[in-house]
Amino acid sequence: MIDTPSLVDQYCHGVLRTELGLATFEARLARGEGAPAPGTTLFDTQTGFAVRRWCPPLLGLEPHCPPARYLARRRELGVLEAGRRLLRGSGITTYLVSSGLPDDLTGPEEMAVAGDAEAREVVRLEPLAQQVADTSGTVASFLANLAESVHGAAAHAVAFAAAPSPADGGPALATEPPGPGAVQGAAARWLARRRVGEELTDPVLLGHLVWTAVATGRPLQLHAGPEEPGVRTDPAPLTGFVRATAGLGTDLVLLPGHFHHRHAARLAAAHPHVYADSGAALARTGARAAAVLADILELAPFGKILFSTGAQSLPELHVVGAHLFREALDRVLGAWVAEGAWSPADARRVAHLIAADNAHRVYGLR
């Protein structure tokens, strides 16, 4: 058994504060999936089966119990108590919580208390810009307040995050900061047409935001596309930006969607300042997680791979992400030790790197 006593969940969101019915729970469980086939539910997925395996015992039920029974027990305990039991049962010791999503989600402080763990904030850039726009009357004040807000956030946040590629697949991030005229024009157009709270998708303003964050020196987590149902996040369009940011002192952590972990791992291998997240790929593959992790370990140096759950809204997803990671790590590294390809000491060292030590180094957590 590979020992991973410490887990740093380097990319996650908070959990919902409200009680959920069956349909709402399923929609959160299978974020990005379409409607289930007639006569089935969204529990009939790898993620759903993993929830039924790992989560019921934390609430006093047997593994693989029926979904209806599980959700009844969840409601009986209440959302706060169920969340506390699930988060503490995940074994995660530190949460890096991405802020700014519109749902009623817990923040880092609440996650720390509920999970009996450390928690730090990762500031999402697009919601930050939306908040600044809501309180800025002119283009000049918006841009000045935006720069001040980004640099102010760098004083307390461990990292920034952004999803710079629009849902239609382009354009990718620019390989240099957009000029002042282009930024002012884009800001004027966006402020003139936007509604309060409207999501920022303008590529010039997104590029300006990202390059402003790069200048702070804080690590930058990059989704290759927005977190929308049905959108696959491919890191390939970021290659030019990755090259342009080399040597600037800012680490990039790629958050690829399922199917694109291999390209993220290749970029991490090729560029000293680039790291690859393993969370989304493992969480969606369930019982096949070991095969996906072996892929990542084949392509990226071990000091460039970071554990996360990628969880959002449901504490169950933190549990599933952590257990699938530990199980996959044990299967892959344990097999290599049994074959004599790796020593037990090397397997333990690599396990600790991916589980926590790489995150401690990248985000300066020690």
Side-chain angles (χ1 to χ4, degrees), residues 1-347:
M1 186 74 176
I2 303 299
D3 179 33
T4 53
S6 178
L7 286 180
V8 176
D9 190 350
Q10 71 97 28
Y11 163 58
C12 68
H13 301 278
V15 300
L16 285 166
R17 299 183 178 96
T18 53
E19 298 283 357
L20 301 176
L22 175 61
T24 309
F25 185 93
E26 285 191 40
R28 303 289 182 168
L29 176 66
R31 194 171 74 252
E33 302 291 340
T40 68
T41 77
L42 289 174
F43 272 95
D44 291 328
T45 60
Q46 288 284 9
T47 305
F49 273 38
V51 165
R52 291 176 53 215
R53 178 185 181 185
W54 296 113
C55 297
L58 297 177
L59 304 188
L61 299 171
E62 71 279 6
H64 306 293
C65 74
R69 185 177 178 198
Y70 176 76
L71 292 176
R73 175 60 173 162
R74 201 180 191 273
R75 288 191 297 272
E76 177 186 332
L77 290 170
V79 65
L80 294 179
E81 177 62 16
R84 187 188 70 83
R85 293 190 185 193
L86 290 163
L87 290 175
R88 295 187 181 195
S90 71
I92 294 169
T93 54
T94 303
Y95 297 95
L96 304 190
V97 183
S98 186
S99 62
L101 291 186
D103 283 329
D104 183 26
L105 302 178
T106 54
E109 297 82 4
E110 292 166 282
M111 290 290 289
V113 172
D116 191 23
E118 299 290 327
R120 303 290 297 276
E121 184 179 14
V122 175
V123 171
R124 181 71 178 260
L125 290 169
E126 296 92 334
L128 181 65
Q130 291 158 215
Q131 293 165 13
V132 172
D134 290 342
T135 57
S136 299
T138 66
V139 171
S141 65
F142 167 67
L143 293 176
N145 292 340
L146 186 61
E148 182 179 348
S149 295
V150 171
H151 287 279
H156 70 270
V158 295
F160 291 102
S165 298
D168 61 8
L173 270 180
T175 55
E176 60 183 14
V183 172
Q184 289 169 8
R189 290 188 297 273
W190 184 58
L191 291 173
R193 69 173 184 264
R194 73 181 291 271
R195 297 185 297 273
V196 173
E198 182 180 344
E199 182 180 358
L200 173 62
T201 59
D202 183 273
V204 174
L205 284 181
L206 284 173
H208 173 67
L209 260 179
V210 167
W211 278 101
T212 302
V214 167
T216 70
R218 287 293 187 192
L220 177 62
Q221 298 179 349
L222 286 174
H223 302 263
E227 297 169 312
E228 294 180 359
V231 175
R232 295 178 181 177
T233 54
D234 181 358
L238 297 176
T239 302
F241 178 77
V242 164
R243 291 172 179 156
T245 53
L248 297 183
T250 297
D251 289 328
L252 306 180
V253 182
L254 302 184
L255 306 174
H258 187 27
F259 305 111
H260 298 298
H261 59 279
R262 294 182 67 87
H263 194 84
R266 291 191 190 100
L267 284 174
H271 300 277
H273 67 305
V274 177
Y275 295 79
D277 174 77
S278 63
L282 297 186
R284 289 300 182 96
T285 48
R288 289 278 298 161
V292 175
L293 182 61
D295 262 358
I296 298 171
L297 290 169
E298 173 189 335
L299 295 166
F302 309 135
K304 293 294 205 74
I305 304 167
L306 301 173
F307 159 74
S308 82
T309 64
Q312 177 181 328
S313 302
L314 302 180
E316 283 84 355
L317 298 179
H318 293 277
V319 174
V320 164
H323 277 287
L324 287 176
F325 170 73
R326 282 197 173 100
E327 188 177 68
L329 201 66
D330 191 55
R331 287 185 182 180
V332 174
L333 302 192
W336 293 344
V337 169
E339 294 166 1
W342 284 34
S343 72
D346 281 339

